[in-house]
Amino acid sequence: MAIHAINVRNQFRGRIKEIVPGPVVSEVDVETGFGIVTSVITTRSINELGLQVGTEVLALVKSTEVSIAKI
């Protein structure tokens, strides 16, 4: 499978640093040049995509809400 075009502007290339497996959903930590991006996806998708630590991936971020907190 190849991505030829996608309309998501926030794309971060990185490598999977850690996978925290669960029975239905799992957490995937992707190390990017901007820091760690964490995704929660189905465990089935992880298996079907053959994802594992060290796999190079593209994290696509599309959100309808962004929250800001003062630090």
Side-chain angles (χ1 to χ4, degrees):
M1 181 174 101
I3 298 174
H4 297 286
I6 192 162
N7 70 341
V8 177
R9 293 182 185 264
N10 300 317
Q11 302 178 22
F12 304 97
R13 184 178 298 272
R15 290 198 181 273
I16 295 178
K17 181 177 180 179
E18 182 179 13
I19 297 174
V20 181
V24 178
V25 295
S26 299
E27 291 181 32
V28 180
D29 289 342
V30 178
E31 190 162 19
T32 74
F34 300 98
I36 303 249
V37 175
T38 301
S39 177
V40 177
I41 64 173
T42 64
T43 302
R44 179 184 217 172
S45 291
I46 289 174
N47 295 331
E48 288 177 356
L49 291 169
L51 299 180
Q52 55 188 333
V53 172
T55 301
E56 186 174 10
V57 295
L58 191 61
L60 307 169
V61 180
K62 188 167 185 176
S63 177
T64 57
E65 178 181 331
V66 176
S67 300
I68 304 277
K70 185 176 177 182
I71 55 174

